[in-house]
């Protein structure tokens, strides 16, 4: 209430160029919107699902392992592998049958594989590229076609990584896959702009999820360190002094899914506590 009062007084003084009606619309309200979140059963994806539901969107949670019960009518769990074209087509059909349309896609599903560059196994490379890069392309293609047909614009948000901008030891396949996602963000943004479809990527830094915990164990084995030493090394690299939570990422995704980011497209936004600044 105090915040609104401050805004209102600023408005009266002419410091804010927003209409009086908008003063009371600062809350993100996604009532009536339908969102798809891939990899939504765990970690960052789960926090994104919760944020979207809190903002009243209907959400389809797409995952290899959907382990939650259908508890709410407006939350729909679908089992699908994002790297499988047939699964993606069936997933789209299920979402349209259940909710009738799609307004928001969050491409979050991803995996990481680790090895020194000279030891990367062909299977690890293929799997990482298939899920992290091809999966984003397949889901985006299916959803963008539907959004174009609907004619109401839309929001497509990729969860890339700061590994889409920098190199990290042991992460050759992962870094290549996330650079692919950042590149695709720019092409999609240009080509889909005429349909008012905003396409942006979020580049998280070090976020505490089961993926990160696995990376510390495997990375530790490859480097001869224990996982705790790597955790401390991780935190020491972050200017804000702590590693991130899934919610840190979800809040930015929520903004990108809302009308408040209407003039943003083709961006790759860091959520890294200051670890990456470009
Ligand atoms: N944790 C981090 O530090 C971090 C940093 C930067 C980017 N990211 C990215 O964030 C995203 C989420 O990562 P997380 O840390 O929450 O991982 P996580 O392992 O905790 O969760 C990933 C989810 O994706 C699902 N998934 C995996 N492969 C799938 C497939 N083929 N089809 C459908 N679902 C699939 C898993 O079942 C799981 O529920 C990933 O794209 C990851 O690369 C994570």
């Amino acid at each position: 209430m105090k915040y609104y009062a401050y805004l209102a007084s600023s408005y009266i003084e002419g410091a804010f160029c927003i209409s009086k009606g908008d003063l009371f619309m600062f809350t993100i309200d996604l009532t009536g919107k339908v969102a798809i979140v891939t990899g939504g059963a765990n970690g960052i994806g789960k926090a994104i699902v919760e944020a979207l539901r809190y903002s009243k969107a209907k959400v389809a949670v797409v995952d290899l392992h959907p382990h939650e019960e259908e508890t709410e009518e407006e939350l729909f769990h679908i089992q699908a592998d994002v790297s499988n074209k047939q699964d993606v087509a069936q997933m789209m059909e299920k979402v349209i049958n259940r909710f009738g349309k799609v307004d928001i896609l969050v491409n979050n599903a991803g995996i990481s594989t680790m090895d020194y560059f000279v030891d990367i196994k062909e299977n690890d490379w293929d799997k990482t590229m298939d899920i992290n890069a091809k999966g984003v392309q397949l889901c985006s293609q299916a959803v963008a076609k539907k959004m174009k047909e609907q004619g109401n614009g839309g929001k497509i948000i990729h969860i890339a990584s700061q590994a889409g901008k920098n190199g990290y030891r042991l992460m050759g396949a992962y870094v290549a896959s996330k650079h692919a996602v950042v590149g695709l963000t720019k092409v999609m943004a240009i080509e889909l702009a005429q349909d008012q479809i905003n396409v942006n990527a979020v580049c998280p830094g070090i976020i505490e999820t089961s993926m990160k915990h696995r990376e510390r164990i495997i990375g530790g084995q490859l480097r001869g360190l224990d996982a705790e030493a790597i955790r401390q090394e991780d935190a020491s690299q972050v200017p804000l002094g702590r590693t991130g939570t899934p919610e840190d990422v979800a809040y930015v995704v929520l903004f990108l899914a809302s009308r408040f980011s209407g003039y943003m497209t083709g961006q790759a936004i860091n959520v890294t506590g200051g670890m990456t600044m470009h």
Side-chain angles (χ1 to χ4, degrees), residues 42-48 50-51 204 206-210 242-253 271:
N42 291 292
I44 294 170
K46 192 171 180 186
I48 294 168
E50 280 164 14
I206 301 167
I207 309 298
E208 297 299 338
T209 65
S210 55
R242 65 170 178 88
T243 54
T245 64
E247 290 72 25
D248 287 324
V249 181
Y251 298 143
V252 178
V253 172
V271 185

Side-chain angles (χ1 to χ4, degrees), residues 39 42 44 63-64 80-82 108 160 174 178 205 207 209-210 212:
N42 291 292
I44 294 170
D63 207 289
L64 274 181
D81 175 350
V82 295
N108 164 80
Y174 185 78
K178 294 298 185 177
I207 309 298
T209 65
S210 55
K212 183 50 64 187

Side-chain angles (χ1 to χ4, degrees), residues 38-46 62-65 67 80-84 107-112 131-132 159-163 174 178 202-212 214-215 246 249:
T38 70
N42 291 292
I44 294 170
K46 192 171 180 186
V62 178
D63 207 289
L64 274 181
H65 311 290
H67 51 66
D81 175 350
V82 295
S83 66
N84 180 311
N107 282 305
N108 164 80
I111 60 161
S112 63
I131 296 173
N132 294 6
I159 307 304
S161 170
Q162 62 181 349
Y174 185 78
K178 294 298 185 177
V202 174
C203 295
I206 301 167
I207 309 298
E208 297 299 338
T209 65
S210 55
M211 174 188 283
K212 183 50 64 187
R214 272 194 312 272
E215 285 174 4
V249 181

Side-chain angles (χ1 to χ4, degrees), residues 219-269:
Q221 286 163 357
L222 289 164
R223 292 172 63 198
L225 296 169
D226 67 26
E228 176 53 23
I230 297 185
R231 194 194 63 73
Q232 287 177 19
E233 181 184 81
D234 283 350
S236 73
Q237 295 178 72
V238 185
L240 280 179
R242 65 170 178 88
T243 54
T245 64
E247 290 72 25
D248 287 324
V249 181
Y251 298 143
V252 178
V253 172
L254 192 57
F255 165 69
L256 289 174
S258 78
R259 69 187 183 91
F260 296 113
S261 57
Y263 200 51
M264 292 174 68
T265 200
Q267 304 305 303
I269 300 164

Side-chain angles (χ1 to χ4, degrees), residues 139-152:
C139 293
S140 299
Q141 207 173 50
V143 167
K145 278 183 186 163
K146 192 72 204 168
M147 284 176 171
K148 278 159 100 53
E149 189 186 303
Q150 291 170 175
N152 292 320

